[in-house]
Amino acid sequence: MIWRLAPLIGFVLLAVVLAFGIRLSRDRVPGELPSVLIGKPAPEFTLDGLRDGEGPVSSTQFLGKPWLLNVWASWCAGCRVEHPVIEALARRGDITVVGLNWKDERGDALRWLAQFGDPYRAIATDPDNRVALHYGVYGAPETFVIDARGVIRHKFVGPVTERHVQTILLPLLATLREEAGS
Amino acid sequence: MKHLPGARPGGARSHIPRMALMFIVALFSTLASAAIEPLQFADDGERRRFNALAAELRCLVCQNQSLADSDAPLAKDLRRELHELMRSGRSDEEIKTYLTDRYGEFVLYRPPFDGRTWWLWIAPGVLVVIALAAVALIVRQRRRLAGTDTRALEPKDDEEW
């Protein structure tokens, strides 16, 4: 009797394992890696600014208010996709939007901004991946949410979407406001 | 993994002039050497150590390639970092900790044996034991049957086959 049920039992077990795997991967970008830096202080940096007349950009100058570190490049297609969302976030005003121009050429980056708009408070340049490496960046776009005390609270891998903003970022900003008030 | 310059929908057609084809071939030939970079090693020992480490670390872009195999730009950056860390006198363990502190354990091709990964390590052994037990069981059953009268194996009328 038990031997006759063996194929059925095997099938059910396999189905459960596969269903579990599908559930796990439903809300994830394929190949996405969880960041080990969440809850840790954001690595400090001081880098050259991208734009004409923009002095050095330092991570410490954004302390005191939540800020977004958006890793982008002119060669990155996903950055173009998320750009309207980043611009809308910058317009909200409750979070400082900082750009990290990663592994890019200055001329290309400036042309990209002229074409698609420049929502950034400041843009640091990291052409040789010296700083992004400390943030565990392994592609673009990636976006870090850093709180007023300089601790990394969330990381988006891939383009930030309106859905991410509604379901993750805005609730997180509300939490950060509560923390600051208490 | 990457889009090659010159690749286009429809592919190369026969009416493309021979010069253009040769130009495309020449383009690709530079790609083949792109992974070779001028890292300086003091001696063969240092080179061997570098290669051994790079083979044990995973490229985070092409996730099924090691740092040694991949010519993704990020893998190149990480090889440079690895080289600099070695030059600054850090041990293999310190270098691995440095990288896992930034990229997570995923960067290691060989995960550590701990509370979360123990089942990953013992699963192959357990599966082999289960498989051997199943084979032993079947063999024993067949041997027992072989010793008995085969007429007992013929289907009976009340069986549902």
Side-chain angles (χ1 to χ4, degrees):
Chain A
M1 187 60 191
I2 190 78
W3 289 112
R4 239 189 273 179
L5 282 178
L8 181 66
I9 294 169
F11 171 77
V12 169
L13 279 177
L14 192 63
V16 167
V17 169
L18 293 180
F20 187 68
I22 290 170
R23 263 188 79 87
L24 272 183
S25 62
R26 200 170 44 180
D27 281 329
R28 289 182 63 215
V29 179
E32 178 179 339
L33 303 175
S35 175
V36 283
L37 287 164
I38 288 163
K40 303 231 171 83
E44 285 186 16
F45 62 82
T46 302
L47 289 167
D48 291 336
L50 173 72
R51 293 164 293 203
D52 289 324
E54 186 170 23
V57 178
S58 166
S59 58
T60 49
Q61 74 195 63
F62 308 111
L63 290 174
K65 190 180 167 188
W67 56 292
L68 211 63
L69 184 66
N70 178 230
V71 180
W72 68 281
S74 62
W75 47 261
C76 151
C79 301
R80 209 177 283 196
V81 173
E82 70 168 7
H83 205 59
V85 178
I86 301 291
E87 281 191 309
L89 275 173
R91 272 198 302 274
R92 286 179 58 91
D94 50 0
I95 186 162
T96 311
V97 177
V98 179
L100 181 68
N101 186 238
W102 185 56
K103 291 170 80 67
D104 207 354
E105 303 277 343
R106 183 164 182 272
D108 294 342
L110 288 173
R111 259 196 305 281
W112 194 89
L113 289 175
Q115 191 176 351
F116 298 107
D118 179 359
Y120 300 106
R121 169 75 58 85
I123 304 175
T125 51
D126 190 12
D128 299 319
N129 196 11
R130 292 282 169 185
V131 163
L133 194 139
H134 296 300
Y135 279 80
V137 170
Y138 66 98
E142 283 189 17
T143 305
F144 295 83
V145 184
I146 300 166
D147 70 16
R149 289 171 303 133
V151 175
I152 297 179
R153 301 297 291 264
H154 192 78
K155 174 186 181 181
F156 296 100
V157 173
V160 178
T161 62
E162 192 49 46
R163 184 158 163 259
H164 287 143
V165 172
Q166 296 299 330
T167 59
I168 300 170
L169 188 59
L170 295 186
L172 178 58
L173 283 179
T175 311
L176 295 183
R177 263 196 301 276
E178 264 171 47
E179 282 175 15
S182 63
Chain B
M1 264 329 282
K2 60 183 160 195
H3 302 284
L4 299 171
R8 69 192 87 178
R13 300 224 177 80
S14 54
H15 62 254
I16 291 178
R18 183 173 293 179
M19 278 298 282
L21 272 175
M22 282 168 67
F23 177 67
I24 290 169
V25 169
L27 256 182
F28 288 141
S29 69
T30 62
L31 280 176
S33 57
I36 301 161
E37 57 220 312
L39 287 177
Q40 300 295 321
F41 297 100
D43 52 50
D44 263 8
E46 191 182 41
R47 185 190 300 275
R48 266 198 299 276
R49 192 184 151 211
F50 177 86
N51 288 337
L53 263 173
E56 264 194 48
L57 297 167
R58 191 194 295 269
C59 167
L60 296 122
V61 182
C62 307
Q63 298 187 348
N64 289 320
Q65 278 188 312
S66 74
L67 279 190
D69 298 331
S70 177
D71 63 352
L74 184 74
K76 196 176 155 210
D77 293 346
L78 286 178
R79 281 197 295 269
R80 181 197 65 202
E81 192 72 13
L82 185 61
H83 187 250
E84 284 174 12
L85 288 169
M86 276 177 56
R87 276 289 162 95
S88 68
R90 300 205 201 199
S91 72
D92 289 6
E93 277 316 302
E94 283 169 335
I95 290 172
K96 283 182 191 171
T97 309
Y98 180 95
L99 288 171
T100 47
D101 281 350
R102 284 156 183 77
Y103 290 99
E105 276 172 5
F106 191 83
V107 77
L108 303 176
Y109 249 124
R110 206 181 313 170
F113 189 90
D114 62 24
R116 284 180 309 114
T117 58
W118 62 269
W119 57 273
L120 193 67
W121 280 98
I122 69 163
V126 170
L127 286 177
V128 167
V129 169
I130 290 175
L132 286 177
V135 168
L137 215 76
I138 291 166
V139 167
R140 220 163 49 182
Q141 208 173 25
R142 294 229 173 128
R143 193 175 293 159
R144 206 169 52 220
L145 288 177
T148 59
D149 192 345
T150 48
R151 267 173 300 176
L153 287 175
E154 280 166 20
K156 297 184 189 76
D157 291 341
D158 58 340
E159 252 180 317
E160 292 171 18
W161 292 103

